[in-house]
Amino acid sequence: MTTSSVTSTTTDFAAALRPGPDTVDLTNDFTGRTAVVTGGASGIGHAIARALAARGARVAIVDVRADGATTAAADLPGAADAPDAATGLHAGFACDVTDETSVARTVADVAAHFGRIDVLVNCAGIAALAPADELSAETWSRTIDVNLTGTFRVAQAVGRHMLAAGYGRVVNIASQAAHVGIDGHAAYCASKAGVIGLTRVLALEWGGRGVTVNTVSPTVVLTDLGRAAWANENGIRHQDEIPTGRFATPDEIAAAVLFLAGESSAMVNGADLRVDGGFTIR
Ligand SMILES: NC(=O)c1ccc[n+]([C@@H]2O[C@H](COP(=O)([O-])OP(=O)(O)OC[C@H]3O[C@@H](n4cnc5c(N)ncnc54)[C@H](O)[C@@H]3O)[C@@H](O)[C@H]2O)c1
């Protein structure tokens, strides 16, 4: 082998390495982006919507509670700075994520209203707790339908728009319950473990087409849903099991979502970001 053939082979390999971006945008600025937040009428979803809107995003609040969606959208930062009275800066949309027709109509309405969808945060969820030997088939099915199949329905419908545009960020809200067993949480744990499995496949299929898909797994978060399950003796014991010694706030979950929803996380794909104070490291 001659020196020149080695050099030319090396040069070819170097040229074949795909470059990344010249600079990474660390500003976390969402100006010009549209974000869809399911379950955005309350709790964690509303905190995420506020954080995105505060950084310039136009936000579609999608929630089964129609009034809640409209009120929450009107309450977001920048709501008063509507580009024109007809469109508004943000908007609320009534949608039941267990109903395929409702999801298809809502995603079409959002795309028509804003002209684009850059970010999707799947946050709609329920927690119906019962010991496994007493859990009704109806509660099991309902939990899987909202938390897991609902996440898939919205991701698929929004993902089609993102794939056509060649850009998207999908963040699915899972839970520490996806990683560990928790008493009374059979359906909930199964649904959230499913969200992580679904996310991995979407990340694999869509990552090469400009759309990243990740999960955030919170510990208990101090929302209505979190308090309903944990404002009891069990909860007081549980907060002592968390290395940081407390439950999370909705804004702490929003901070993690902002990272995964932004420009700078382009190489984070199929990951699960645990915001659990270290509970699941044991
Ligand atoms: N709070 C916690 O401790 C905690 C911990 C880990 C993960 N999570 C997850 O975070 C997400 C938000 O939880 P939260 O504490 O903010 O609860 P929340 O009850 O305050 O908010 C949930 C929202 O989802 C909406 N929703 C419920 N069913 C829906 C449906 N079929 N279609 C559309 N919207 C629907 C509700 O109307 C509500 O606005 C859920 O997915 C939950 O599982 C919560």
Short mmCIF file of all heavy atoms in Angstrom, two decimals, residues 38-46 62-65 95-99 122-127 142 146-147 173-177 188 192 216-227 230, ligand 1:
data_model
loop_
_atom_site.label_atom_id
_atom_site.label_comp_id
_atom_site.label_asym_id
_atom_site.label_seq_id
_atom_site.Cartn_x
_atom_site.Cartn_y
_atom_site.Cartn_z
N THR A 38 -50.58 19.26 25.70
CA THR A 38 -51.81 18.58 26.13
C THR A 38 -51.85 18.58 27.65
O THR A 38 -50.81 18.59 28.31
CB THR A 38 -51.91 17.13 25.60
OG1 THR A 38 -51.00 16.29 26.34
CG2 THR A 38 -51.62 17.04 24.11
N GLY A 39 -53.05 18.59 28.19
CA GLY A 39 -53.18 18.69 29.65
C GLY A 39 -52.70 20.04 30.16
O GLY A 39 -52.35 20.18 31.32
N GLY A 40 -52.70 21.04 29.27
CA GLY A 40 -52.12 22.35 29.62
C GLY A 40 -53.02 23.25 30.43
O GLY A 40 -52.62 24.36 30.79
N ALA A 41 -54.24 22.78 30.74
CA ALA A 41 -55.16 23.64 31.48
C ALA A 41 -54.81 23.72 32.96
O ALA A 41 -55.29 24.61 33.66
CB ALA A 41 -56.60 23.14 31.32
N SER A 42 -53.98 22.79 33.44
CA SER A 42 -53.67 22.84 34.88
C SER A 42 -52.31 22.20 35.18
O SER A 42 -51.66 21.64 34.28
CB SER A 42 -54.76 22.11 35.69
OG SER A 42 -54.71 20.73 35.41
N GLY A 43 -51.90 22.34 36.42
CA GLY A 43 -50.76 21.62 36.95
C GLY A 43 -49.46 21.78 36.15
O GLY A 43 -49.06 22.88 35.76
N ILE A 44 -48.82 20.65 35.89
CA ILE A 44 -47.51 20.65 35.22
C ILE A 44 -47.65 21.20 33.80
O ILE A 44 -46.81 21.98 33.34
CB ILE A 44 -46.95 19.21 35.18
CG1 ILE A 44 -46.72 18.68 36.60
CG2 ILE A 44 -45.64 19.17 34.39
CD1 ILE A 44 -46.41 17.19 36.67
N GLY A 45 -48.71 20.80 33.10
CA GLY A 45 -48.91 21.25 31.73
C GLY A 45 -49.01 22.76 31.64
O GLY A 45 -48.44 23.38 30.73
N HIS A 46 -49.71 23.36 32.59
CA HIS A 46 -49.85 24.82 32.56
C HIS A 46 -48.51 25.48 32.85
O HIS A 46 -48.16 26.50 32.23
CB HIS A 46 -50.93 25.28 33.53
CG HIS A 46 -51.37 26.70 33.27
ND1 HIS A 46 -51.76 27.55 34.27
CD2 HIS A 46 -51.45 27.40 32.13
CE1 HIS A 46 -52.05 28.73 33.74
NE2 HIS A 46 -51.88 28.67 32.44
N VAL A 62 -54.16 22.32 24.88
CA VAL A 62 -55.09 21.27 24.45
C VAL A 62 -55.53 20.49 25.68
O VAL A 62 -54.69 19.89 26.36
CB VAL A 62 -54.39 20.35 23.42
CG1 VAL A 62 -55.21 19.11 23.14
CG2 VAL A 62 -54.10 21.12 22.13
N ASP A 63 -56.82 20.50 25.97
CA ASP A 63 -57.26 19.86 27.21
C ASP A 63 -58.72 19.42 27.06
O ASP A 63 -59.50 20.03 26.34
CB ASP A 63 -57.14 20.83 28.39
CG ASP A 63 -57.02 20.12 29.74
OD1 ASP A 63 -58.04 19.56 30.22
OD2 ASP A 63 -55.90 20.08 30.29
N VAL A 64 -59.06 18.36 27.78
CA VAL A 64 -60.44 17.86 27.73
C VAL A 64 -61.39 18.88 28.34
O VAL A 64 -62.59 18.90 27.99
CB VAL A 64 -60.53 16.48 28.43
CG1 VAL A 64 -60.41 16.61 29.95
CG2 VAL A 64 -61.77 15.72 28.02
N ARG A 65 -60.88 19.73 29.22
CA ARG A 65 -61.71 20.79 29.83
C ARG A 65 -61.64 22.03 28.93
O ARG A 65 -60.66 22.78 28.95
CB ARG A 65 -61.23 21.09 31.24
CG ARG A 65 -61.47 19.90 32.19
CD ARG A 65 -61.15 20.21 33.62
NE ARG A 65 -59.73 20.37 33.84
CZ ARG A 65 -59.16 21.48 34.29
NH1 ARG A 65 -59.88 22.55 34.58
NH2 ARG A 65 -57.86 21.54 34.48
N CYS A 95 -60.11 19.04 23.61
CA CYS A 95 -59.75 17.77 22.96
C CYS A 95 -59.67 16.67 24.00
O CYS A 95 -59.10 16.86 25.08
CB CYS A 95 -58.38 17.93 22.29
SG CYS A 95 -57.70 16.39 21.63
N ASP A 96 -60.27 15.54 23.67
CA ASP A 96 -60.17 14.36 24.53
C ASP A 96 -59.16 13.42 23.87
O ASP A 96 -59.42 12.90 22.77
CB ASP A 96 -61.54 13.70 24.65
CG ASP A 96 -61.52 12.49 25.58
OD1 ASP A 96 -60.41 12.01 25.93
OD2 ASP A 96 -62.61 12.01 25.95
N VAL A 97 -58.03 13.21 24.52
CA VAL A 97 -56.98 12.40 23.89
C VAL A 97 -57.35 10.92 23.76
O VAL A 97 -56.64 10.16 23.11
CB VAL A 97 -55.60 12.54 24.62
CG1 VAL A 97 -55.14 13.99 24.62
CG2 VAL A 97 -55.64 11.95 26.02
N THR A 98 -58.48 10.52 24.38
CA THR A 98 -58.93 9.13 24.20
C THR A 98 -59.81 8.97 22.95
O THR A 98 -60.24 7.86 22.64
CB THR A 98 -59.73 8.63 25.43
OG1 THR A 98 -60.97 9.35 25.51
CG2 THR A 98 -58.95 8.79 26.71
N ASP A 99 -60.07 10.08 22.27
CA ASP A 99 -60.99 10.05 21.13
C ASP A 99 -60.21 10.42 19.86
O ASP A 99 -59.80 11.56 19.68
CB ASP A 99 -62.12 11.06 21.41
CG ASP A 99 -63.11 11.17 20.26
OD1 ASP A 99 -62.80 10.71 19.14
OD2 ASP A 99 -64.18 11.75 20.49
N ASN A 122 -46.67 16.12 25.52
CA ASN A 122 -47.79 15.26 25.91
C ASN A 122 -47.83 15.17 27.42
O ASN A 122 -47.04 14.43 28.04
CB ASN A 122 -47.60 13.85 25.32
CG ASN A 122 -48.20 13.73 23.95
OD1 ASN A 122 -49.37 14.04 23.73
ND2 ASN A 122 -47.39 13.28 22.99
N CYS A 123 -48.73 15.94 28.03
CA CYS A 123 -48.78 16.01 29.49
C CYS A 123 -50.14 15.58 30.05
O CYS A 123 -50.28 15.40 31.25
CB CYS A 123 -48.46 17.45 29.92
SG CYS A 123 -48.07 17.62 31.66
N ALA A 124 -51.15 15.40 29.19
CA ALA A 124 -52.46 14.97 29.69
C ALA A 124 -52.30 13.62 30.37
O ALA A 124 -51.65 12.72 29.82
CB ALA A 124 -53.45 14.87 28.53
N GLY A 125 -52.86 13.49 31.55
CA GLY A 125 -52.73 12.22 32.25
C GLY A 125 -53.67 12.14 33.43
O GLY A 125 -54.17 13.16 33.92
N ILE A 126 -53.92 10.91 33.87
CA ILE A 126 -54.75 10.68 35.06
C ILE A 126 -54.04 9.67 35.95
O ILE A 126 -53.20 8.89 35.48
CB ILE A 126 -56.17 10.16 34.70
CG1 ILE A 126 -56.08 8.86 33.88
CG2 ILE A 126 -56.97 11.22 33.96
CD1 ILE A 126 -57.41 8.16 33.69
N ALA A 127 -54.40 9.70 37.23
CA ALA A 127 -53.88 8.70 38.17
C ALA A 127 -55.06 8.18 38.97
O ALA A 127 -55.65 8.93 39.75
CB ALA A 127 -52.83 9.33 39.08
N ARG A 142 -59.06 2.72 31.21
CA ARG A 142 -59.14 4.18 31.13
C ARG A 142 -57.73 4.79 31.32
O ARG A 142 -57.34 5.71 30.60
CB ARG A 142 -60.09 4.69 32.23
CG ARG A 142 -60.20 6.17 32.34
CD ARG A 142 -61.23 6.73 31.37
NE ARG A 142 -61.13 8.19 31.30
CZ ARG A 142 -61.39 8.92 30.24
NH1 ARG A 142 -61.78 8.36 29.12
NH2 ARG A 142 -61.28 10.22 30.27
N VAL A 146 -55.85 7.01 28.40
CA VAL A 146 -55.46 8.42 28.51
C VAL A 146 -53.94 8.54 28.46
O VAL A 146 -53.38 9.27 27.63
CB VAL A 146 -55.98 9.06 29.83
CG1 VAL A 146 -55.47 10.50 29.95
CG2 VAL A 146 -57.50 9.02 29.90
N ASN A 147 -53.26 7.83 29.35
CA ASN A 147 -51.82 8.09 29.55
C ASN A 147 -50.94 7.55 28.42
O ASN A 147 -49.98 8.21 28.03
CB ASN A 147 -51.35 7.46 30.87
CG ASN A 147 -51.99 8.11 32.09
OD1 ASN A 147 -52.82 9.02 31.97
ND2 ASN A 147 -51.63 7.65 33.27
N ILE A 173 -44.48 13.26 28.93
CA ILE A 173 -44.31 13.24 30.39
C ILE A 173 -44.60 11.82 30.88
O ILE A 173 -45.74 11.33 30.79
CB ILE A 173 -45.25 14.26 31.08
CG1 ILE A 173 -45.03 15.67 30.52
CG2 ILE A 173 -44.99 14.24 32.60
CD1 ILE A 173 -43.61 16.21 30.64
N ALA A 174 -43.55 11.17 31.37
CA ALA A 174 -43.70 9.83 31.95
C ALA A 174 -43.79 10.01 33.47
O ALA A 174 -44.58 10.83 33.95
CB ALA A 174 -42.53 8.95 31.54
N SER A 175 -42.96 9.31 34.24
CA SER A 175 -43.04 9.41 35.70
C SER A 175 -41.95 8.52 36.31
O SER A 175 -41.49 7.58 35.66
CB SER A 175 -44.40 8.91 36.18
OG SER A 175 -44.42 8.77 37.60
N GLN A 176 -41.61 8.82 37.55
CA GLN A 176 -40.76 7.86 38.29
C GLN A 176 -41.45 6.49 38.33
O GLN A 176 -40.79 5.45 38.41
CB GLN A 176 -40.47 8.36 39.70
CG GLN A 176 -41.68 8.43 40.63
CD GLN A 176 -41.35 8.97 42.02
OE1 GLN A 176 -40.26 9.47 42.26
NE2 GLN A 176 -42.28 8.85 42.95
N ALA A 177 -42.78 6.50 38.22
CA ALA A 177 -43.55 5.26 38.25
C ALA A 177 -43.30 4.38 37.03
O ALA A 177 -43.71 3.22 36.99
CB ALA A 177 -45.05 5.58 38.35
N TYR A 188 -51.17 2.80 36.49
CA TYR A 188 -50.38 4.02 36.25
C TYR A 188 -48.94 3.66 35.88
O TYR A 188 -48.38 4.18 34.90
CB TYR A 188 -50.43 4.91 37.50
CG TYR A 188 -49.83 6.28 37.31
CD1 TYR A 188 -50.54 7.30 36.68
CD2 TYR A 188 -48.55 6.57 37.78
CE1 TYR A 188 -49.99 8.56 36.52
CE2 TYR A 188 -47.98 7.82 37.61
CZ TYR A 188 -48.71 8.82 36.98
OH TYR A 188 -48.15 10.06 36.81
N LYS A 192 -47.10 4.42 32.24
CA LYS A 192 -45.93 5.30 32.11
C LYS A 192 -44.70 4.53 31.60
O LYS A 192 -43.88 5.09 30.86
CB LYS A 192 -45.63 5.98 33.45
CG LYS A 192 -46.73 6.96 33.89
CD LYS A 192 -46.92 8.09 32.88
CE LYS A 192 -47.88 9.16 33.37
NZ LYS A 192 -48.00 10.31 32.46
N VAL A 216 -39.70 13.00 30.05
CA VAL A 216 -39.30 13.53 31.36
C VAL A 216 -40.05 12.70 32.40
O VAL A 216 -41.25 12.48 32.28
CB VAL A 216 -39.68 15.03 31.49
CG1 VAL A 216 -39.54 15.51 32.93
CG2 VAL A 216 -38.81 15.87 30.56
N SER A 217 -39.31 12.23 33.39
CA SER A 217 -39.93 11.40 34.44
C SER A 217 -39.85 12.10 35.79
O SER A 217 -38.83 12.05 36.48
CB SER A 217 -39.21 10.04 34.54
OG SER A 217 -39.60 9.20 33.49
N PRO A 218 -40.93 12.78 36.17
CA PRO A 218 -40.92 13.47 37.46
C PRO A 218 -41.18 12.53 38.64
O PRO A 218 -41.83 11.49 38.49
CB PRO A 218 -42.10 14.45 37.36
CG PRO A 218 -42.57 14.40 35.94
CD PRO A 218 -42.15 13.07 35.40
N THR A 219 -40.68 12.94 39.79
CA THR A 219 -41.16 12.37 41.05
C THR A 219 -42.54 12.96 41.32
O THR A 219 -43.17 13.54 40.43
CB THR A 219 -40.18 12.68 42.22
OG1 THR A 219 -40.69 12.04 43.40
CG2 THR A 219 -40.05 14.18 42.47
N VAL A 220 -43.03 12.83 42.53
CA VAL A 220 -44.29 13.49 42.89
C VAL A 220 -44.11 14.99 42.69
O VAL A 220 -43.10 15.57 43.07
CB VAL A 220 -44.66 13.20 44.36
CG1 VAL A 220 -45.91 13.99 44.77
CG2 VAL A 220 -44.84 11.70 44.59
N VAL A 221 -45.12 15.60 42.04
CA VAL A 221 -45.10 17.04 41.79
C VAL A 221 -46.29 17.64 42.52
O VAL A 221 -47.40 17.07 42.51
CB VAL A 221 -45.18 17.34 40.28
CG1 VAL A 221 -45.04 18.84 40.04
CG2 VAL A 221 -44.11 16.58 39.52
N LEU A 222 -46.07 18.79 43.15
CA LEU A 222 -47.12 19.39 43.97
C LEU A 222 -48.17 20.08 43.10
O LEU A 222 -48.18 21.30 42.93
CB LEU A 222 -46.49 20.33 45.00
CG LEU A 222 -45.57 19.58 45.99
CD1 LEU A 222 -44.81 20.54 46.89
CD2 LEU A 222 -46.36 18.56 46.82
N THR A 223 -49.05 19.25 42.53
CA THR A 223 -50.22 19.70 41.76
C THR A 223 -51.45 19.05 42.40
O THR A 223 -51.32 18.25 43.33
CB THR A 223 -50.15 19.22 40.30
OG1 THR A 223 -50.19 17.77 40.32
CG2 THR A 223 -48.86 19.67 39.63
N ASP A 224 -52.64 19.34 41.83
CA ASP A 224 -53.86 18.70 42.37
C ASP A 224 -53.73 17.18 42.30
O ASP A 224 -54.05 16.47 43.26
CB ASP A 224 -55.08 19.14 41.54
CG ASP A 224 -55.41 20.60 41.79
OD1 ASP A 224 -54.85 21.18 42.75
OD2 ASP A 224 -56.22 21.16 41.01
N LEU A 225 -53.23 16.69 41.13
CA LEU A 225 -53.08 15.24 40.96
C LEU A 225 -52.07 14.68 41.98
O LEU A 225 -52.32 13.66 42.62
CB LEU A 225 -52.63 14.95 39.52
CG LEU A 225 -52.41 13.51 39.06
CD1 LEU A 225 -52.74 13.37 37.58
CD2 LEU A 225 -50.99 13.02 39.31
N GLY A 226 -50.96 15.37 42.14
CA GLY A 226 -49.92 14.91 43.06
C GLY A 226 -50.41 14.92 44.50
O GLY A 226 -50.20 13.96 45.26
N ARG A 227 -51.11 15.99 44.89
CA ARG A 227 -51.59 16.09 46.27
C ARG A 227 -52.67 15.04 46.56
O ARG A 227 -52.72 14.47 47.65
CB ARG A 227 -52.15 17.49 46.55
CG ARG A 227 -51.05 18.55 46.67
CD ARG A 227 -51.59 19.88 47.20
NE ARG A 227 -50.52 20.85 47.29
CZ ARG A 227 -50.18 21.69 46.29
NH1 ARG A 227 -50.84 21.66 45.16
NH2 ARG A 227 -49.18 22.53 46.44
N TRP A 230 -50.75 11.91 47.29
CA TRP A 230 -49.64 11.86 48.24
C TRP A 230 -49.77 12.76 49.47
O TRP A 230 -48.86 12.76 50.31
CB TRP A 230 -48.33 12.20 47.52
CG TRP A 230 -47.98 11.20 46.46
CD1 TRP A 230 -48.18 11.32 45.12
CD2 TRP A 230 -47.39 9.90 46.66
NE1 TRP A 230 -47.75 10.20 44.47
CE2 TRP A 230 -47.25 9.30 45.39
CE3 TRP A 230 -46.98 9.19 47.80
CZ2 TRP A 230 -46.72 8.03 45.22
CZ3 TRP A 230 -46.44 7.92 47.63
CH2 TRP A 230 -46.33 7.36 46.34
N1 LIG B 1 -48.30 15.41 39.84
C1 LIG B 1 -47.46 14.40 39.95
O1 LIG B 1 -47.09 13.99 41.05
C2 LIG B 1 -46.91 13.73 38.71
C3 LIG B 1 -45.74 12.96 38.83
C4 LIG B 1 -45.23 12.33 37.69
C5 LIG B 1 -45.88 12.47 36.47
N2 LIG B 1 -47.01 13.22 36.40
C6 LIG B 1 -47.68 13.33 35.11
O2 LIG B 1 -47.70 14.69 34.71
C7 LIG B 1 -48.86 14.93 33.90
C8 LIG B 1 -49.64 16.12 34.45
O3 LIG B 1 -50.00 15.84 35.78
P1 LIG B 1 -50.54 17.00 36.77
O4 LIG B 1 -50.07 16.67 38.11
O5 LIG B 1 -50.27 18.32 36.20
O6 LIG B 1 -52.12 16.66 36.72
P2 LIG B 1 -53.37 17.62 36.55
O7 LIG B 1 -54.56 16.77 36.90
O8 LIG B 1 -53.19 18.92 37.23
O9 LIG B 1 -53.37 17.90 34.97
C9 LIG B 1 -53.71 16.92 34.03
C10 LIG B 1 -54.44 17.61 32.89
O10 LIG B 1 -54.75 16.62 31.90
C11 LIG B 1 -56.07 16.86 31.45
N3 LIG B 1 -56.66 15.63 30.94
C12 LIG B 1 -57.04 14.54 31.64
N4 LIG B 1 -57.60 13.64 30.83
C13 LIG B 1 -57.56 14.14 29.58
C14 LIG B 1 -58.02 13.69 28.31
N5 LIG B 1 -58.64 12.51 28.18
N6 LIG B 1 -57.79 14.46 27.23
C15 LIG B 1 -57.18 15.68 27.35
N7 LIG B 1 -56.77 16.17 28.54
C16 LIG B 1 -56.96 15.41 29.64
C17 LIG B 1 -56.82 17.37 32.67
O11 LIG B 1 -58.02 18.07 32.35
C18 LIG B 1 -55.77 18.26 33.32
O12 LIG B 1 -55.84 19.60 32.88
C19 LIG B 1 -49.66 13.61 33.89
O13 LIG B 1 -49.32 12.89 32.72
C20 LIG B 1 -49.13 12.89 35.11
O14 LIG B 1 -49.26 11.50 35.01
C21 LIG B 1 -47.55 13.86 37.48
#
